[in-house]
Amino acid sequence: MSSLLLVDDDPAIRDLFTIFLTREGHNVWSVPGGRECMELVKTVAPDLIVLDIMMSPMDGWDTLDAIRNYPQTRDLPVAMFSGKSPVVEDILLYGGLIDDYLIKPMDFDLMSDIFEGVIERNGILGEEISRLKQNGFDPTGIGEYSSLKKSLFIFRKFSEMFDDEIEPYETRIRNLEERMH
Amino acid sequence: MKILVIEDNLPDVEMIRELLSEQEDRFEIVHSGRLAEAIELVPEGRFDIVLTDLGLPDSQGLDTIRTLRENVTGIPIVVLTGLENERVGVSALKAGAQDYLVKTGMTGISLIRSLNYAVERYKVASTRYVLLNAIPDALMLLNSDKTIIALNKAMGQKLGINPDEFDGVPVSRLVANRNFCFPMEQIDEIFRTQVPVNTLEHAGGRWYETTMHPVRNNTGTIAMVVLQSHDITDWKKIEEEIEQEGIFQIERNMEQFQILNDQIRNPLQVIKGYVSLAECPFRHKIDEQIRNIDNLVVRLDKGWLDSEKVRTYLFRHYQIGQDFTIEKEEHV
């Protein structure tokens, strides 16, 4: 059971999201845009934020920037949830800041498990990062490692689209890991 | 016909007057004994022709013709030589005179014939000169020694030289004097292979399409090569604008595709949700239809992925759409 925050400008999707995920026992908030999201996170602390992309005036990527720049939400897992397929430019820019990219339409019945998975994955990466910090690994290197891992997850997930991008990321992660040991 | 006679030897001037007075045509003669003075007379004089001695108190030999050619434009020159020396006469022609006459043995008829001939010949030559310079393309004619036989103003402008200074000059000197590329090897090749060559040049911020083609003489061998450079800068600009417009169109289409896909998938998500919520007995049928529509969207997606490839192609080959690629490279 987790607390989920959905940001989507479509009221029907917000309704359905709330119905299905509340039914699975989650605590759900939903807002129609980025501004409302940033307003809400001042008072509530979700375990995961789910972001639609095509929204106006603040789109999903703008909202993501705001989330990553706000201390209370900086380290929260974020899953993009859009009808727009991922584009290489976007993933090169934001891949290191997101924990998943989900394409509409998907089964509401499966969402709970998927979101739990995202939260868990983020937790494991968080633990790994704490260990690295304890071992005195440099913060720049840690930031890069986390960003590369997240980007690589997205590139692998859509490997048929981003085949060219995978190898350089794997190499960079390997190089970082060698430095860590 | 109004004649400017430049001659310091008065008996010779008298002889010319006499020879011409015997003729039916009317001749008006203005006389000067010094070159500098004669040149001053020209602008007001409306002369049809200049008849000049080479040995003057203020100028000697071929310099007399060169000075005249520099200062007197649009009037033919006939040279009088005291010497029965053909070589001086021929040199005078090369230096810019239209004809030469040996004073000794000169008759009224030979003098008039020479004057008329010089006027006509000059008219033809200057018309050709006008024609050559009226052409906006840069033109140059080279012989097999790669000596410049002729070049027009446009070529002078392109190479940044005064075309009159390089008429009759080996092209190697032109190349040595200025620091620019000249397609020497390609010209050699034309003499060897007899095949015309086309090149695209970028010089002084402008684009030229240059054609070099062989010119054959009567026996069919290649005697000369003509270089013709056509300034295509404006065309290039238009072409680039079209390409730029093309890439903007692609960008717009991609954006439209993405918006469209998002707009289709959102209602699919909603339908899927309500069907599942209502525990509809036809849920699987409806889900199947949703999948069909989604597959169409995937195909549309592939359409703009191809557009992305077009964009990348256009950038690599034509350097257009840089903004996108630079941004992309920054984040790799």
Side-chain angles (χ1 to χ4, degrees), chain A residues 13 83-85 104 106-107, chain B residues 258 265-266 269 272 301:
Chain A
I13 290 179
K84 180 180 181 261
S85 302
K104 294 171 186 169
M106 51 189 288
D107 279 335
Chain B
Q258 291 179 44
R265 278 167 166 167
N266 256 311
Q269 179 72 69
K272 223 173 155 53
D301 262 349

Side-chain angles (χ1 to χ4, degrees), chain B residues 1-4 27-30 44-49:
Chain B
M1 191 185 282
K2 192 171 177 184
I3 307 166
L4 173 62
F27 292 94
E28 190 188 331
I29 292 172
V30 175
E44 297 286 309
R46 298 178 177 278
F47 298 105
D48 297 302
I49 194 158

Side-chain angles (χ1 to χ4, degrees), chain B residues 25 49 74 76 145 166 169 185 206 217 257 280 291-293 303:
Chain B
D25 295 336
I49 194 158
D145 303 332
F166 285 86
V169 166
E185 282 172 21
R206 301 200 71 81
N217 61 16
F257 269 140
C280 172
R291 263 196 305 280
N292 288 344
I293 298 171

